[in-house]
Short mmCIF file of all heavy atoms in Angstrom, two decimals:
data_model
loop_
_atom_site.label_atom_id
_atom_site.label_comp_id
_atom_site.label_asym_id
_atom_site.label_seq_id
_atom_site.Cartn_x
_atom_site.Cartn_y
_atom_site.Cartn_z
N GLN A 3 221.22 60.31 -3.48
CA GLN A 3 220.73 60.91 -2.25
C GLN A 3 219.20 61.07 -2.36
O GLN A 3 218.70 61.54 -3.37
CB GLN A 3 221.36 62.28 -2.00
CG GLN A 3 221.03 62.73 -0.59
CD GLN A 3 221.33 64.19 -0.33
OE1 GLN A 3 220.89 65.05 -1.07
NE2 GLN A 3 222.08 64.44 0.72
N PRO A 53 205.54 65.01 34.35
CA PRO A 53 206.78 65.67 34.80
C PRO A 53 207.44 64.99 36.00
O PRO A 53 208.63 65.18 36.22
CB PRO A 53 206.32 67.08 35.22
CG PRO A 53 204.94 67.24 34.71
CD PRO A 53 204.38 65.90 34.40
N ARG A 75 218.00 68.12 9.43
CA ARG A 75 217.68 69.55 9.65
C ARG A 75 216.32 69.66 10.32
O ARG A 75 215.38 68.96 9.94
CB ARG A 75 217.63 70.31 8.33
CG ARG A 75 218.96 70.42 7.63
CD ARG A 75 218.90 71.40 6.48
NE ARG A 75 217.95 71.02 5.45
CZ ARG A 75 217.74 71.72 4.33
NH1 ARG A 75 218.41 72.84 4.10
NH2 ARG A 75 216.87 71.31 3.43
N ARG A 94 208.19 67.97 -3.49
CA ARG A 94 209.60 68.36 -3.35
C ARG A 94 210.48 67.24 -2.82
O ARG A 94 211.67 67.21 -3.06
CB ARG A 94 209.72 69.57 -2.42
CG ARG A 94 209.29 70.87 -3.07
CD ARG A 94 209.22 71.97 -2.01
NE ARG A 94 209.21 73.28 -2.62
CZ ARG A 94 208.13 73.83 -3.18
NH1 ARG A 94 207.00 73.16 -3.23
NH2 ARG A 94 208.20 75.04 -3.69
N TYR A 95 209.89 66.36 -2.00
CA TYR A 95 210.69 65.31 -1.36
C TYR A 95 210.39 63.97 -2.02
O TYR A 95 209.31 63.75 -2.58
CB TYR A 95 210.37 65.23 0.14
CG TYR A 95 210.85 66.46 0.90
CD1 TYR A 95 210.06 67.60 0.99
CD2 TYR A 95 212.11 66.47 1.50
CE1 TYR A 95 210.51 68.73 1.67
CE2 TYR A 95 212.56 67.60 2.19
CZ TYR A 95 211.76 68.72 2.26
OH TYR A 95 212.21 69.84 2.93
N GLU A 140 191.22 76.80 30.99
CA GLU A 140 190.59 77.02 32.29
C GLU A 140 190.45 75.67 33.00
O GLU A 140 189.74 74.78 32.53
CB GLU A 140 189.21 77.66 32.10
CG GLU A 140 188.63 78.13 33.41
CD GLU A 140 187.24 78.76 33.24
OE1 GLU A 140 186.72 78.80 32.10
OE2 GLU A 140 186.68 79.20 34.25
N THR A 147 187.19 67.41 45.11
CA THR A 147 187.17 66.05 44.53
C THR A 147 187.21 66.10 43.00
O THR A 147 186.49 66.89 42.38
CB THR A 147 185.89 65.30 44.98
OG1 THR A 147 185.87 65.28 46.41
CG2 THR A 147 185.85 63.88 44.45
N ALA A 182 201.45 76.60 40.33
CA ALA A 182 200.79 77.65 41.11
C ALA A 182 199.31 77.30 41.30
O ALA A 182 198.77 77.41 42.41
CB ALA A 182 200.94 79.00 40.41
N ALA A 203 192.32 46.34 33.34
CA ALA A 203 192.89 47.69 33.31
C ALA A 203 194.07 47.74 32.34
O ALA A 203 194.84 46.78 32.21
CB ALA A 203 193.35 48.10 34.71
N GLU A 240 197.44 35.96 31.60
CA GLU A 240 198.50 36.54 30.74
C GLU A 240 199.51 37.25 31.63
O GLU A 240 199.16 37.77 32.69
CB GLU A 240 197.88 37.57 29.79
CG GLU A 240 197.24 36.97 28.58
CD GLU A 240 196.57 38.04 27.73
OE1 GLU A 240 197.06 39.19 27.74
OE2 GLU A 240 195.57 37.72 27.10
N LYS A 256 199.07 47.86 51.52
CA LYS A 256 199.74 48.97 52.21
C LYS A 256 198.80 49.54 53.29
O LYS A 256 197.62 49.77 53.03
CB LYS A 256 200.10 50.05 51.19
CG LYS A 256 200.72 51.26 51.80
CD LYS A 256 202.00 51.68 51.13
CE LYS A 256 202.75 52.69 51.95
NZ LYS A 256 202.36 54.07 51.72
N GLY A 294 180.48 35.54 33.77
CA GLY A 294 181.28 34.78 32.80
C GLY A 294 182.45 35.66 32.41
O GLY A 294 183.14 36.19 33.26
N SER A 299 175.91 45.67 32.80
CA SER A 299 175.38 46.65 33.75
C SER A 299 174.50 45.95 34.78
O SER A 299 173.77 45.02 34.46
CB SER A 299 174.56 47.68 32.96
OG SER A 299 173.80 48.44 33.87
N PRO A 340 198.70 54.06 0.37
CA PRO A 340 198.65 53.59 -1.02
C PRO A 340 198.61 54.72 -2.05
O PRO A 340 198.06 55.78 -1.78
CB PRO A 340 197.35 52.77 -1.06
CG PRO A 340 197.07 52.41 0.36
CD PRO A 340 197.62 53.52 1.20
N ASN A 343 203.58 58.94 -2.14
CA ASN A 343 204.92 58.81 -1.53
C ASN A 343 204.86 59.23 -0.06
O ASN A 343 205.80 59.79 0.48
CB ASN A 343 205.96 59.61 -2.32
CG ASN A 343 205.60 61.08 -2.47
OD1 ASN A 343 204.45 61.48 -2.25
ND2 ASN A 343 206.58 61.91 -2.84
N ALA A 346 203.37 56.65 7.17
CA ALA A 346 202.96 57.08 8.51
C ALA A 346 203.68 56.22 9.54
O ALA A 346 203.93 55.03 9.31
CB ALA A 346 201.45 56.94 8.67
N ARG A 352 199.36 53.77 13.82
CA ARG A 352 198.70 52.61 14.45
C ARG A 352 197.67 52.98 15.50
O ARG A 352 197.03 52.11 16.08
CB ARG A 352 199.76 51.67 15.05
CG ARG A 352 200.58 52.25 16.16
CD ARG A 352 201.59 51.29 16.77
NE ARG A 352 202.04 51.85 18.03
CZ ARG A 352 203.00 52.74 18.17
NH1 ARG A 352 203.68 53.14 17.09
NH2 ARG A 352 203.33 53.21 19.34
N ILE A 358 206.88 54.81 24.58
CA ILE A 358 207.75 55.57 23.66
C ILE A 358 208.66 54.63 22.85
O ILE A 358 208.80 54.77 21.64
CB ILE A 358 208.57 56.61 24.45
CG1 ILE A 358 207.62 57.72 24.91
CG2 ILE A 358 209.72 57.18 23.61
CD1 ILE A 358 208.20 58.68 25.91
N VAL A 368 208.64 50.59 9.14
CA VAL A 368 208.09 51.42 8.05
C VAL A 368 209.22 51.91 7.14
O VAL A 368 209.09 51.90 5.91
CB VAL A 368 207.29 52.61 8.63
CG1 VAL A 368 206.78 53.51 7.51
CG2 VAL A 368 206.11 52.12 9.47
N ASP A 374 212.56 49.81 0.50
CA ASP A 374 212.19 48.88 -0.58
C ASP A 374 211.52 49.63 -1.73
O ASP A 374 211.68 49.26 -2.90
CB ASP A 374 211.17 47.84 -0.08
CG ASP A 374 211.80 46.83 0.87
OD1 ASP A 374 213.04 46.78 0.94
OD2 ASP A 374 211.03 46.13 1.56
N GLU A 413 218.18 75.76 36.61
CA GLU A 413 219.32 75.39 37.48
C GLU A 413 219.24 75.98 38.90
O GLU A 413 219.28 75.22 39.87
CB GLU A 413 220.63 75.78 36.81
CG GLU A 413 221.33 74.55 36.27
CD GLU A 413 222.38 74.89 35.21
OE1 GLU A 413 222.80 76.08 35.13
OE2 GLU A 413 222.75 73.96 34.48
N GLU A 426 205.90 83.52 21.67
CA GLU A 426 206.77 84.67 21.47
C GLU A 426 208.03 84.57 22.35
O GLU A 426 209.13 84.96 21.95
CB GLU A 426 206.04 85.99 21.77
CG GLU A 426 204.99 86.40 20.75
CD GLU A 426 203.79 85.45 20.69
OE1 GLU A 426 203.40 84.92 21.74
OE2 GLU A 426 203.27 85.24 19.57
#
Side-chain angles (χ1 to χ4, degrees):
Q3 191 193 53
R75 293 191 299 181
R94 285 171 163 78
Y95 292 86
E140 190 180 1
T147 303
E240 278 176 30
K256 177 130 193 273
S299 167
N343 56 345
R352 64 178 195 276
I358 289 169
V368 177
D374 289 347
E413 255 161 17
E426 288 67 34

